[in-house]
Structures are given as structure tokens and as C-alpha cells.
Amino acid sequence: MAISIDKNNTLFKIDTAQSSYILKIMPDGLVAHVYYGSWVDSADVSYLLRFVSRSFSGNPEGHFLDKAYSQDTLPQELGTYGVGDYRPDSLRIQLPNGAQACNFYYRSHRVFQGKPPLEGLPATYGEDAQTLALTLWDKVSQVECTLFYSVIAGYDAIIRSMQVKNGSDDTVYLNRALSCSMDFDHSDFDLITLRGRWGGERQLVRNPLHPGIQSVESTRGTSSHHYNPFLCLCDHQATETTGDCYGFSLVYSGNFLGQVEQTQLSNTRLVLGIHDSGFSWQLAPGDTFTAPEVVMVFSDQGLGHLSHTYHGLYRQHLCRGPYRDTPRPVLLNNWEATYFDFTREKILSLATKARDVGVELLVLDDGWFGKRNDDTSSLGDWVVNEEKLSGSLGALTADINALGLKMGLWFEPEMVSEDSDLYRAHPDWCLQIPGRYKQTSRCQLVLDFSRREVQDAIYDQLCAVLDGANIEYVKWDMNRHLTDVWSATLPANQQGEVAHRYVLGVYSLLDRLLNRYPHILWEGCSGGGGRFDPGMLYYTPQIWTSDNTDAIDRLTIQEGTSLVYPPSTMSAHVSACPNHQTHRSTPLETRGAVAFTGSFGYELDLGALSPEELDTIAQQIARYKHLRHLFATGVYHRLRSPQSGKDAAWCYVSQGKQQVHFTYIQIHKVANSPLVRVRLQGLDEGLQYKDEATGAIYSGRVLHCIGLCIPVLQGDAQAYTVVLQATTKR
Ligand code: DGJ
């Protein structure tokens, strides 16, 4: 059993195959955090809770003379505001008298099979799961707080969430409600975060923890290009294959805050959840607030195992729909081929060339609706521009289908242009603050998705388009961040809810569309990877990783992304040279090898390519199709980090370890360069593997211990790939 409780109902132990998590109900009812780390065979490790009297650390009720017992130093499952725990807190509740303090004590618990869904929120799921629900109570506010801990069989992950229920007769306000709090009795950690910018998302940043608070956060209304809702604490010496690592990943797509404090006593507290900046949630008597979940993963085998756990869990217990387990079609997106400047003939000509090289899906990007020929108009008017398409979308789709291709379409449902019929009819439907200038970004405004009638109007428009043509893929874009966060329909004391209600509105609309069109493959996007988070993956099993399609820049973007997110969720396209973002030229082979890492496609004008280049692309696609099951479901190992600026390497190993795909990229060539050898990971040491191209045979152990020799490659941005096939079965 994953969750066990001692006979006194004071010690709770949650086990995964390789980790244990222990918490304890203290005699006064406070809930102490005892341990999280490598699996241990006993819950009785409360000796870890050491009590030392510290000056300026206050003592809670019942401990007047017990100066060593303080919420300032006690490791806790729920740190609250205003009662002497000065570390980053998880919960602040404002009572009618203005007081914000709250203090929670154990009330009851429940262990049950399964993992309940979170109302209105994305969440991991699994039938073979077990959950501990620990209910706490604050007698002054009469608010109840339930902490949930779930484990899904087969994963070294513990999934936490929190529900707050107002049990009083008064209305109270949640001014901070973070989903997860974690205390460690030391601070010998490196902190890894994923930082970035547009065109350079999720760069892996690793630094030793230092005294004070370090944070990752977004107040942009979305998870953002700039920070990802993920933190990792690991041993200073942790590598891809060794060391203790703890991951914390928030399943949410809006404002978030992750804080880590190295405390005065060199302990560590980590909190993660919805950002409290501008946040406040009204709880009328009987109301409940559900905070999004945090997926905690522990690995005592380095960052590789941490990633593999997230990959498996997110691929199979977060992503949904028919494409969860099915390799995705190879696509051609017309954006970098035409931008807004296309006609029916141009699209059909692209599609024909795409069909000829083996592409399976044609994606018509921005510019097919309203009167949109640049980015200044028509968002919100999801009506096909039949003049531009020389006919209906249904007819164009039928022609694309007749070529043997599926048809995909771009939308940006959350946005509105001032130059649109929707805006002219409903100028109050966008986020705006009375009396203030409505800030535009990319010439557009944000629709107030906290309002159901706004969601409904967009839903109806999208359905009309999707019902009128055989659309089998949708790219859901979002090209600006939120400003002027205020909603015309909420009273003043609920304006702090708008940002979260906006996110709930996006989720709700996605949910309705997914239910109505279960066959569609949904791709998330936000000016590239500006909303690449687990929340969106629940709805869109793949996300456009970055608007930066440069193969070399993609190496660090894909490396950082792969720390948490399965490669199958990363959309990756081969684009033209010189690259439109960096103006760098890289060989077509290298662009293909890098894009193979994710859900694969093309984004360039095939009509501008030579017959030789088209031939190379046809070969690339054939090779991808041959291997895509491995890319979609295999275990991904990072072997060399592109952060060196010198080279990068990775490999995929199939679940049964029968097939391996190895990629080496020489980023920068130096004269008279040293010879390179790369050791592989994840193979079966007892099997023999054959290099498909050369026929050379290596044992799995040799590949682990010695590795592959990289031939001398001439020039920058060169790729070397090897497919290894086991010659025997285990
Ligand atoms: C931003 C996306 O990331 C691009 O791929 C493209 O769809 C444009 N938006 C279209 O406006």
C-alpha cells in the first residue's frame, strides 16, 4: 500500500517505489513535515524534528513555557500567515475584521483509492492511484483546509493539491493560496529553474541556493516565456545519473509564484502556487476554493530519472485524447512560408509539394479569417475570408483531403482586435480598467474570459468554423500578455479574482471544444512557447516550443524543456535558411536531426527549394516515420549539454530497449579539433546492438562504458546520427 498510517493516527507515510514522504500530527494538532527523500522502511523517523529554543521565535497556544516549540522553525505541511511562521507562507485569509492571520490544526483524514479530479482545473489522472486527504481546521476563522496527497502506481511522484472551505457564517477572502509547501532540514541544494524570453524559452539555469528568498514567478496572466512553473532542488554534485533531485511542477497556466528560502538556520522552505500579486478570492459561507496541483518528483539517480518520471507521468496521465499514445502526423505549417500573404493557389501548391515529400497534415496559420492581412485587425471575427481563400474553407479542406492530407487551422480565441465586428459590438468584452488607456500589444486586446458570455460567443464562432470543414488539427495561439486586469461584471471586492477566472475560462472553453471534437489534435502556442506548462498539456498534447526555429538555438530550448516535458509534447519544425529569427544558416540534415526531437514538421516554402533539398526532405520524413514510435514513446536521455556552446548529444531508447536513436550535434567547429566519444545511457547492458548504417556491433555495456566515437565533422552545426537495433531479444 502506498499510504500507511501508524496506529495512533499521528504518523503518515506515503511511499513510491523509490521515495518516502512522512508527516506527523503533533500533540497540539499542528502538522509537521518530517521527511521527503529516498525510500525508507520506517515512518518512525520523528527524531528528525529537533526542538531548540531560538530567540525571536514565538510559541503557539499551549506552549507558553515551551520556548523550543515554534512555528518559526517547525517544518510544516502548511505554513500560514500571521502566526509566527515568517518563512514564505501558503495561506492568508482575511476575516471581516481585517485580520489576515490563520492557524490550522488537524481535524480528520481519509485515505481512498483513486485520485479525484480538480473541479475546473487540469490535473493528472490514473485509476491505479491512492490519495490521502488531510483536513485541517482554523477555529477562529472557521475555515477548513484539506491537503491532498496522491500517488499514481509506477511513478516516483507525489501529487499535492489544496482545497479551502469557508465553514463560517461570514464572507472571508483568500489573499494567498499556494498549493504546496515543502520544508527541508538543510539547504545544501542547487536550485534549477527554467528562465527565458520570447525566442529563447526555458533555458536551464542552475545555481547554489544562497541565503534569503529566490523565486520564479509570472504576473503576466499566463505562465510566460520568462519563467516556467517548475523548480528543482538537487545535490550540488547531482548529474544526469547521480544525486538526489526534487522537482516541483505546477499544473497551471496563469500567474504563479515559486519561492525558495534558505532560512536563518540553513533550512529550506519551498512554496509553489498561484501568485498572490493582485490575487484575492471571495469565499462566501460554504464556498470552496481549489488550488491547482503540484507534481513533486524525487529521484536519487540524478536529473535523468527525474525527467523520465515527469515524461512518463505527463505523457500518460496528463495528456489526453486519441493522440496521447499515437505518434503525431508530420505537418507543414504555412506561417514562415507565406506569413499573411497567401492565396488558395499558394496553399494548394504548398500542399501538393508537401504531399509529394510525405507530409501528412497541412496547417493553415494566421490570416484566413475576417479581413486579416496583417496583425492589426479581425481577431474575434472567426469568419472564413472566402475572398482570400477563393471559396469556402470546406472546399479548400476537401481539396487538401483529396491530396491525401489532413487539414489543420490556427485560432487565437482569447484575443480581439479593435478593428473587428466583435469589438465594435461589444467594446466592454475586453479586459480594461475604467478611465485607463487599454494597452495594446501586437495591436490587440485580451478578451475577458472570466465572463461566460464571452466564452460562449467565441465557442459558437469556433464551432461554426469547425463544423463547416473537416479540420483535424487546431493550433491555439495567444500572442500577448494580460494588462488592465479588471472585469466589468464583477464587484470591486472580487476584482482580485479576474486573473484566475480568466485561466478557468480558457480551461472551460478548451474542455467544451475537446468534448465536442474529440478527434482533433490540439496544439498549444503562445508566440511560441509562452504557455508551455502542464496545465495546457492537459488540453493540448503538444505545444509549439518556440517561435525561434533556428536549429542551434533550439538545442538549449529543447534541453531545458525536456527537464520536465516529454519530447512528444514539443512541436519542432524544420524552417528555411537563413533562419528568419537569427539569420543563421545550418545544414538541412542538422535542422532535421534537431527537429526529430519533438513532434515533427516543416515550416518553409517548399516551392523555393531545389530538387535535391526536396529529396533530402523526403528521405528525412521517411526516416522520421520509420522511427517516430521510438521518438513518441521512448526514453529520452540527455548525454551532452548544448550549454557548453561546443556540442550536444542525446538518445532515445525504446521501452523494451530494443531500439536506440542517437544524435550528436557539433555546434562549433575548431581547427585541429579533439576527437569526441559519447557514452550512451539507458540500454540493456546484456544485449548486442547493431549500428544500422555500418553494421558494427556493440554490447549495451560497451555503449554505456565506452560509447560511440564521433567521426570528424567539418564545419559548424553538423549532425551525426546513429540508429542501433538490438540483435537479440531479452
Ligand atoms: C505566433 C506563433 O507562435 C506563430 O507560429 C504564428 O502562429 C503566429 N503567432 C501567427 O500570428
Side-chain angles (χ1 to χ4, degrees):
M1 208 172 60
I3 297 169
S4 51
I5 306 168
D6 74 340
K7 61 179 186 317
N8 302 319
N9 280 338
T10 53
L11 275 174
F12 294 73
K13 184 164 185 272
I14 305 163
D15 287 322
T16 69
Q18 294 178 33
S19 70
S20 293
Y21 187 105
I22 300 168
L23 55 95
K24 177 178 178 162
I25 314 298
M26 302 302 285
D28 63 359
L30 286 173
V31 186
H33 174 73
V34 181
Y35 173 76
Y36 183 33
S38 291
W39 182 85
V40 288
D41 56 357
S42 166
D44 192 12
V45 292
S46 314
Y47 64 87
L48 283 170
L49 301 174
R50 284 160 285 175
F51 299 95
V52 176
S53 172
R54 307 280 182 184
S55 298
F56 290 86
S57 293
N59 313 109
E61 185 177 356
H63 299 274
F64 180 66
L65 286 176
D66 189 3
K67 292 186 185 158
Y69 190 79
S70 173
Q71 282 170 280
D72 193 19
T73 53
L74 182 71
Q76 296 190 83
E77 287 300 309
L78 179 69
T80 57
Y81 180 77
V83 291
D85 183 344
Y86 301 101
R87 297 162 290 184
D89 57 284
S90 297
L91 205 50
R92 281 180 208 182
I93 302 172
Q94 188 175 324
L95 305 188
N97 63 9
Q100 294 205 45
C102 56
N103 210 0
F104 283 86
Y105 291 84
Y106 171 82
R107 189 178 220 188
S108 64
H109 70 267
R110 208 159 57 91
V111 174
F112 52 92
Q113 286 307 118
K115 178 177 184 294
L118 300 185
E119 208 196 328
L121 285 166
T124 51
Y125 59 89
E127 277 167 20
D128 195 1
Q130 206 179 28
T131 299
L132 163 68
L134 200 62
T135 299
L136 319 181
W137 174 249
D138 175 32
K139 68 180 176 193
V140 176
S141 65
Q142 298 192 28
V143 170
E144 190 180 84
C145 175
T146 302
L147 306 176
F148 293 91
Y149 304 79
S150 297
V151 283
I152 297 176
Y155 296 93
D156 284 314
I158 298 172
I159 302 148
R160 284 190 61 167
S161 62
M162 179 177 81
Q163 253 180 18
V164 185
K165 183 174 180 192
N166 182 4
S168 78
D169 295 333
D170 293 313
T171 293
V172 302
Y173 291 87
L174 293 181
N175 289 343
R176 178 161 160 125
L178 272 58
S179 309
C180 161
S181 174
M182 173 63 61
D183 286 336
F184 295 92
D185 68 353
H186 70 94
S187 57
D188 297 325
F189 288 123
D190 278 2
L191 171 65
I192 299 179
T193 59
L194 302 175
R195 288 219 47 187
R197 58 190 190 281
W198 175 88
E201 298 89 334
R202 292 171 300 286
Q203 307 288 318
L204 199 152
V205 177
R206 178 172 178 168
N207 288 304
L209 214 56
H210 60 76
I213 296 177
Q214 291 113 90
S215 66
V216 288
E217 57 189 292
S218 168
T219 53
R220 293 170 175 268
T222 173
S223 49
S224 85
H225 308 78
H226 308 78
Y227 290 100
N228 199 256
F230 171 76
L231 302 110
C232 171
L233 292 171
C234 63
D235 289 347
H236 298 305
Q237 299 79 16
T239 65
E240 282 292 329
T241 51
T242 61
D244 286 0
C245 310
Y246 299 84
F248 302 86
S249 167
L250 179 68
V251 184
Y252 189 62
S253 310
N255 293 340
F256 71 90
L257 176 65
Q259 290 178 310
V260 189
E261 180 178 9
Q262 185 185 102
T263 70
Q264 52 166 344
L265 301 170
S266 291
N267 304 133
T268 302
R269 162 148 315 164
L270 181 147
V271 293
L272 180 58
I274 294 178
H275 208 304
D276 60 352
S277 173
F279 171 84
S280 156
W281 195 271
Q282 179 181 286
L283 277 185
D287 277 2
T288 296
F289 177 82
T290 303
E293 67 183 30
V294 169
V295 177
M296 307 189 304
V297 168
F298 172 74
S299 161
D300 60 2
Q301 299 154 55
L303 296 165
H305 180 65
L306 183 100
S307 296
H308 300 154
T309 305
Y310 277 118
H311 292 180
L313 195 65
Y314 283 176
R315 199 164 59 72
Q316 293 188 293
H317 298 275
L318 180 66
C319 293
R320 300 174 298 163
Y323 284 97
R324 189 188 73 167
D325 303 314
T326 317
R328 320 282 159 74
V330 177
L331 65 80
L332 177 86
N333 181 304
N334 75 305
W335 180 242
E336 288 197 11
T338 66
Y339 295 103
F340 292 105
D341 184 19
F342 57 84
T343 59
R344 176 193 182 82
E345 287 64 44
K346 176 83 187 166
I347 295 299
L348 282 174
S349 141
L350 267 177
T352 308
K353 292 197 169 58
R355 186 269 320 266
D356 291 347
V357 290
V359 165
E360 297 159 309
L361 164 71
L362 188 283
V363 179
L364 183 56
D365 210 281
D366 195 354
W368 55 267
F369 55 93
K371 56 182 178 69
R372 189 161 166 97
N373 288 312
D374 57 33
D375 61 13
T376 60
S377 84
S378 303
L379 295 171
D381 293 345
W382 300 106
V383 178
V384 178
N385 184 343
E386 297 197 349
E387 201 184 318
K388 188 167 178 178
L389 296 190
S390 307
S392 71
L393 182 66
L396 175 62
T397 302
D399 286 351
I400 301 275
N401 288 166
L403 289 171
L405 298 179
K406 295 180 195 296
M407 178 71 171
L409 202 59
W410 178 96
F411 287 96
E412 195 178 359
E414 298 152 71
M415 299 295 153
V416 66
S417 309
E418 281 171 290
D419 182 5
S420 69
D421 292 341
L422 187 79
Y423 185 78
R424 280 182 282 275
H426 301 284
D428 64 315
W429 276 13
C430 65
L431 293 175
Q432 56 190 299
I433 299 175
R436 284 199 185 278
Y437 173 72
K438 296 187 283 291
Q439 195 174 108
T440 51
S441 177
R442 206 196 189 202
C443 310
Q444 63 199 50
L445 298 166
V446 184
L447 284 171
D448 181 357
F449 261 47
S450 73
R451 293 169 65 169
R452 178 70 188 204
E453 70 269 36
V454 177
Q455 299 165 33
D456 287 348
I458 298 299
Y459 175 76
D460 290 344
Q461 286 200 47
L462 264 52
C463 290
V465 175
L466 296 175
D467 289 345
N470 182 27
I471 304 299
E472 296 178 79
Y473 159 108
V474 167
K475 178 174 172 187
W476 180 298
D477 207 347
M478 181 210 197
N479 282 305
R480 63 159 290 179
H481 291 144
L482 275 53
T483 55
D484 310 289
V485 178
W486 189 89
S487 177
T489 50
L490 286 172
N493 56 356
Q494 285 187 270
Q495 290 298 328
E497 299 176 15
V498 178
H500 181 50
R501 284 182 183 272
Y502 175 92
V503 179
L504 294 179
V506 173
Y507 290 156
S508 164
L509 181 57
L510 275 161
D511 220 38
R512 287 157 81 188
L513 289 164
L514 261 67
N515 283 334
R516 182 163 167 154
Y517 304 102
H519 65 286
I520 288 182
L521 169 58
W522 300 82
E523 173 159 324
C525 177
S526 176
R531 196 160 54 179
F532 204 125
D533 58 59
M536 287 308 287
L537 283 183
Y538 183 68
Y539 305 96
T540 63
Q542 62 188 50
I543 298 178
W544 183 223
T545 313
S546 177
D547 271 347
N548 186 346
T549 53
D550 178 280
I552 296 305
D553 279 5
R554 273 290 180 117
L555 292 172
T556 50
I557 296 171
Q558 291 177 181
E559 176 196 50
T561 308
S562 79
L563 196 59
V564 195
Y565 305 102
S568 61
T569 64
M570 295 187 227
S571 281
H573 299 171
V574 172
S575 61
C577 268
N579 178 271
H580 291 195
Q581 292 77 39
T582 62
H583 298 268
R584 182 174 14 226
S585 288
T586 48
L588 188 49
E589 288 74 10
T590 304
R591 283 175 270 157
V594 174
F596 270 21
T597 306
S599 283
F600 183 64
Y602 291 81
E603 185 151 345
L604 75 179
D605 184 359
L606 294 174
L609 301 185
S610 67
E612 294 73 31
E613 286 172 313
L614 288 173
D615 198 42
T616 304
I617 287 180
Q619 287 173 33
Q620 245 168 22
I621 293 177
R623 188 171 159 86
Y624 181 78
K625 287 178 180 169
H626 172 59
L627 293 164
R628 65 178 156 190
H629 191 73
L630 171 62
F631 297 138
T633 62
V635 181
Y636 176 80
H637 297 266
R638 293 176 294 268
L639 303 173
R640 284 201 172 205
S641 170
Q643 294 203 350
S644 67
K646 211 171 64 173
D647 58 8
W650 60 91
C651 70
Y652 288 86
V653 180
S654 65
Q655 294 292 337
K657 304 193 176 187
Q658 292 288 311
Q659 198 180 34
V660 181
H661 187 268
F662 167 83
T663 305
Y664 175 85
I665 305 290
Q666 174 173 284
I667 297 173
H668 185 60
K669 172 75 178 174
V670 290
N672 197 17
S673 49
L675 295 173
V676 178
R677 173 165 57 87
V678 182
R679 293 167 62 177
L680 273 59
Q681 285 167 24
L683 286 73
D684 186 330
E685 294 202 350
L687 290 183
Q688 300 290 316
Y689 292 90
K690 181 173 174 182
D691 178 336
E692 270 191 353
T694 64
I697 305 268
Y698 309 88
S699 77
R701 181 151 180 88
V702 162
L703 290 167
H704 271 172
C705 301
I706 300 177
L708 288 170
C709 289
I710 310 301
V712 174
L713 303 169
Q714 298 301 355
D716 287 350
Q718 298 296 316
Y720 173 66
T721 59
V722 176
V723 178
L724 297 161
Q725 191 70 47
T727 55
T728 45
K729 279 198 174 13
R730 267 266 185 219

